[in-house]
Amino acid sequence: MSSQPATGDVVGGVPHKDLATAIRVLAMDAVEAAKSGHPGMPMGMADVATVLFTQFLKFDPKRPDWADRDRFVLSAGHGSMLIYALLYLTGYEDIDLEQIKKFRQLGARTAGHPEYGMARGIEMTTGPLGQGIATAVGMALAERHLNARFGDALVDHHTYVIAGDGCLQEGVSHEAASLAGHLGLGRLIVLWDDNSISIDGPTNLSLSEDVKARFVAYGWDVQAVDGHDPVAVAAAIAQAKTTSTPSLIACRTTIGLGAPTKAGKNSSHGSPLGAAEIAGARAAYGWEHGPFEIPAPILDTWRQYGARGAAAAGAWDQRLAAADNSLGTAFKAAQSGDAPAELDTVIAAFKRATSEARPSVATRQASGNVLDAIFDVVPELISGSADLTGSNNTRTKGVVSLQRDKYEGRYIHYGVREHAMAAAMNGMALHGGLIPLSGTFLCFADYSRPAIRLGALMKQRVVHVMTHDSIGLGEDGPTHQPVEHMAALRAIPNLLVFRPADQVETAECWQLALQSKTRPSVLALTRQNLATLRVEHTDENLAAKGAYILREAEGGVAKVVLLATGSEVEIAVQARDVLQAEGVPTRVVSMPSWELFVEQGEAYQAQVLGGDDVVRVGVEAMVRMGWDRWIGPKGGFVGMPGFGESGPYKELYQHFGITVDGVVAAAKARL
């Protein structure tokens, strides 16, 4: 493999070498101007990216949200100048030369790592290694499912990924690659920047496995090419497009290609090259132009390639217009992402029936009951579980499993792959046309957390059903009893964390999760049965305020306010009855979502919480962290002092003092 740029003219007009060099010099110059960044990967993968964007990728810079475009994910997000250069060169309006010059500067669209929503053409936020390839699995899965629903005329595209050694080392990529191979996602093509370099030095410092053999074992088609040979790269991509399995193309490249002393070394990975090294690289490229200067013939040629997709987009418009009216209407509805109007009617009827019947059910079962009621009403819902279907109740009656070559199914068996599951759901949401939900235990939120955080950062509607939400799961013990997880999840910005108290609240939380188009949600649900507390029906979604007065004080202004979530609301209601009987006016506030309560403003919060002279007691079978915000200077807390124990759940509640007597005692101690 040559250590110099490729010279083949395989695309016509301007030589491939010059098109690829435009990417390299923009990357070098932007990183140098910022005095920060990662020039080596864009310099090494410029040949591969040029082949992809000029010969294969189906896109239209003038319509970056065209539904049937190919998806391109830069999983190796540290090399962000690669995608910024490509977006600028092909004519995306959000990235002009001024944005390139402002790389990594405050307020620029050209952030240190690609950020979804900051510039059209960026399909997802990348940077945490492995997240890109794992999320792309969800995109490819969404394409196959929607193709099965709407047909080739409307859904027929590929998902391409550029990934590095770090992406393929991170555990989430292993989970996701295994799932993709199992499902036969042949529209997924990963271009591996196989440069054998990591931050610390050569990858053989920490890696000795045969990566290609591993992907073969996952059921992928695997090829290996010289990443600086455009003819070979093009042939490999063409071959990958014919397979019925996902494809990995190992592109052997030189990091920092052309840099006189840093090419092929870790010194070109994450630091500016410096003026002398850049001058030497320019000489190696035969590039006689100044910083940020792209000659008109080269830029014009790139723009012509960018404009090529307009014809395909126009033809797709015609196919959509010609589609059967019901099919076209359903496709547009799916792409809009709006929850159907019928959802409100169904939820209201479900709540009324629950308030009348007053069942005692676990909220995990309540969630399953809600899904049974709404699943056909919201055809964009696609469900699944991490091998916990019977525990999570995420599979609705009559739903068909999604399997290899049976992509019309709406239930995904993710296997024991919580992290990949969460990432894939992000990909489905980003792709559009689907509302993904899945189930696992709340204690495994730790396994999903990086992808949950990324979903919140990208503002994606993804619903994480997480059951067995406290010591109430009982005998499985402290390894499975989540005590710190609510606090950890509540710490993630833009994430809605719901802990409903009964079946009515569970329905309201589902309604909110589906209507929240720019936020992911976690539903923390019980294993143990809970009484129906909302026995008087109202069409209003009371959980929408985050916290509300469930039982008002009687016999005067409230002297005690009991604040509780989930299964502990029932305990608080019983404690209120005791305090009221003893002449202490006591209010119970259910708090299914702290995040929504914060958004109501101080006036509403004061109305619900009462003044500083009121004794407030928080009740939650979790650690105290975060509760002091609500319980105030006189506040008490009844909850977990640390990890749980193994035993029947009723005995555990007694053991830890999360009882009616414990709540009453905490209130009286502060009166």
Side-chain angles (χ1 to χ4, degrees):
M1 182 186 65
S2 172
S3 61
Q4 297 299 315
T7 58
D9 182 357
V10 297
V11 292
V14 173
H16 165 93
K17 170 190 173 182
D18 291 343
L19 297 175
T21 299
I23 297 173
R24 293 184 171 105
V25 296
L26 285 173
M28 291 191 307
D29 293 342
V31 172
E32 189 68 20
K35 302 302 179 188
S36 173
H38 301 75
M41 190 281 273
M43 295 166 69
M45 282 297 280
D47 290 311
V48 174
T50 298
V51 171
L52 177 62
F53 271 70
T54 61
Q55 298 185 52
F56 294 97
L57 197 70
K58 182 174 68 171
F59 68 106
D60 181 1
K62 303 303 180 185
R63 293 180 57 187
D65 298 328
W66 168 34
D68 200 36
R69 70 194 181 279
D70 287 340
R71 273 41 172 195
F72 170 67
V73 173
L74 183 64
S75 188
H78 57 275
S80 56
M81 268 309 305
L82 179 68
I83 192 169
Y84 298 148
L86 288 163
L87 296 180
Y88 163 63
L89 292 168
T90 54
Y92 283 81
E93 294 179 358
D94 282 350
I95 303 292
D96 57 18
L97 194 57
E98 288 306 305
Q99 288 293 329
I100 298 291
K101 292 178 179 178
K102 294 177 181 176
F103 176 57
R104 288 195 161 213
Q105 303 309 299
L106 183 64
R109 297 189 183 101
T110 47
H113 292 85
E115 293 189 26
Y116 178 80
M118 290 189 68
R120 286 168 292 183
I122 298 172
E123 298 285 3
M124 68 166 292
T125 298
T126 55
L129 294 178
Q131 288 291 329
I133 183 174
T135 303
V137 169
M139 294 179 180
L141 181 54
E143 190 273 343
R144 288 292 83 194
H145 176 75
L146 293 172
N147 171 270
R149 181 180 177 191
F150 295 111
D152 291 343
L154 298 183
V155 184
D156 183 15
H157 55 266
H158 288 73
T159 301
Y160 294 94
V161 180
I162 285 181
D165 289 301
C167 294
L168 301 190
Q169 290 180 50
E170 287 287 357
V172 66
S173 72
H174 295 238
E175 293 183 23
S178 175
L179 179 64
H182 173 73
L183 292 175
L185 299 179
R187 298 302 186 90
L188 175 64
I189 299 174
V190 176
L191 301 157
W192 169 27
D193 181 17
D194 182 15
N195 62 28
S196 299
I197 291 294
S198 61
I199 292 176
D200 283 353
T203 53
N204 62 19
L205 289 170
S206 59
L207 186 71
S208 57
E209 70 196 47
D210 186 337
V211 174
K212 295 187 287 293
R214 172 158 60 84
F215 274 80
V216 170
Y218 288 146
W220 288 50
D221 179 75
V222 176
Q223 302 176 69
V225 298
D226 180 344
H228 301 305
D229 180 345
V231 176
V233 171
I237 297 175
Q239 169 63 23
K241 291 184 69 174
T242 69
T243 69
S244 60
T245 64
S247 293
L248 177 74
I249 303 174
C251 303
R252 176 65 71 176
T253 63
T254 299
I255 191 171
L257 183 75
T261 68
K262 296 184 178 182
K265 299 178 181 177
N266 60 332
S267 55
S268 68
H269 170 79
S271 302
L273 296 177
E277 200 77 7
I278 289 175
R282 273 183 157 78
Y285 302 152
W287 190 268
E288 298 178 352
H289 313 287
F292 301 106
E293 182 183 344
I294 307 298
I298 296 175
L299 183 58
D300 290 346
T301 300
W302 266 114
R303 293 290 164 85
Q304 289 170 20
Y305 282 115
R308 232 176 16 173
W316 180 85
D317 288 339
Q318 294 177 2
R319 294 196 298 274
L320 178 60
D324 175 84
N325 186 55
S326 60
L327 187 72
T329 299
F331 184 85
K332 292 173 184 176
Q335 292 298 312
S336 76
D338 295 332
E342 302 95 309
L343 178 66
D344 292 343
T345 302
V346 172
I347 291 291
F350 183 90
K351 288 167 52 180
R352 181 184 297 278
T354 298
S355 294
E356 291 174 354
R358 302 183 183 184
S360 177
V361 295
T363 51
R364 63 168 176 162
Q365 182 59 55
S367 173
N369 295 339
V370 175
L371 284 175
D372 282 338
I374 67 174
F375 208 69
D376 289 339
V377 176
V378 189
E380 290 71 45
L381 280 170
I382 186 165
S383 187
S385 172
D387 199 46
L388 291 168
T389 298
S391 293
N392 301 148
N393 295 289
T394 49
R395 182 166 189 165
T396 57
K397 297 174 182 176
V399 69
V400 175
S401 293
L402 185 152
Q403 292 289 336
R404 188 188 191 113
D405 300 325
K406 295 180 181 179
Y407 300 114
E408 68 276 8
R410 294 175 64 192
Y411 191 81
I412 303 169
H413 296 276
Y414 286 102
V416 188
R417 302 184 183 100
E418 286 87 358
H419 197 175
M421 177 175 72
M425 289 200 298
N426 285 343
M428 285 184 266
L430 286 160
H431 180 280
L434 293 175
I435 304 173
L437 70 102
S438 72
T440 187
F441 291 168
L442 181 59
C443 64
F444 299 138
D446 288 342
Y447 289 18
S448 306
R449 184 182 176 85
I452 295 174
R453 177 180 183 270
L454 207 57
L457 183 61
M458 295 186 291
K459 301 180 179 179
Q460 294 303 299
R461 176 177 49 189
V462 174
V463 185
H464 303 269
V465 173
M466 295 190 166
T467 68
H468 295 59
D469 71 338
S470 72
I471 59 171
L473 67 87
E475 291 86 348
D476 279 343
T479 59
H480 281 54
Q481 292 168 5
V483 294
E484 77 277 23
H485 296 73
M486 292 297 290
L489 289 167
R490 286 166 177 158
I492 299 177
N494 199 49
L495 176 66
L496 292 175
V497 184
F498 295 107
R499 192 164 185 251
D502 65 2
Q503 183 162 276
V504 174
E505 273 196 6
T506 303
E508 291 184 337
C509 291
W510 263 112
Q511 184 178 26
L512 294 166
L514 296 180
Q515 292 174 343
S516 300
K517 293 173 66 174
T518 60
R519 291 191 281 196
S521 299
V522 171
L523 273 69
L525 306 173
T526 69
R527 178 179 184 270
Q528 73 271 35
N529 290 340
L530 303 179
T532 298
L533 301 175
R534 291 274 295 279
V535 294
E536 295 182 9
H537 173 71
T538 173
D539 284 347
E540 181 185 1
N541 188 321
L542 299 183
K545 293 184 177 180
Y548 63 95
I549 299 172
L550 176 66
R551 299 284 191 271
E552 185 53 283
E554 299 175 0
V557 177
K559 293 184 178 180
V560 172
V561 176
L562 304 179
L563 312 170
T565 75
S567 47
E568 287 68 68
V569 177
E570 183 177 337
I571 295 173
V573 168
Q574 294 172 5
R576 170 194 176 271
D577 293 342
V578 172
L579 289 166
Q580 284 286 163
E582 296 181 5
V584 181
T586 302
R587 172 188 299 169
V588 174
V589 174
S590 180
M591 304 184 73
S593 172
W594 289 13
E595 297 78 24
L596 293 177
F597 189 45
V598 169
E599 294 174 7
Q600 304 310 307
E602 293 182 0
Y604 177 76
Q605 291 171 18
Q607 174 187 339
V608 170
L609 299 176
D612 288 341
D613 57 338
V614 172
V615 170
R616 299 184 201 135
V617 178
V619 190
E620 188 175 56
M622 305 283 173
V623 297
R624 180 169 179 153
M625 182 174 290
W627 271 98
D628 290 290
R629 178 176 189 174
W630 309 120
I631 58 181
K634 291 187 177 181
F637 178 71
V638 177
M640 293 297 294
F643 292 117
E645 298 284 350
S646 181
Y649 84 90
K650 291 183 179 180
E651 294 180 18
L652 292 177
Y653 272 85
Q654 289 287 336
H655 175 76
F656 288 108
I658 308 174
T659 61
V660 172
D661 290 344
V663 174
V664 170
K668 286 182 174 180
R670 289 162 178 81
L671 284 173

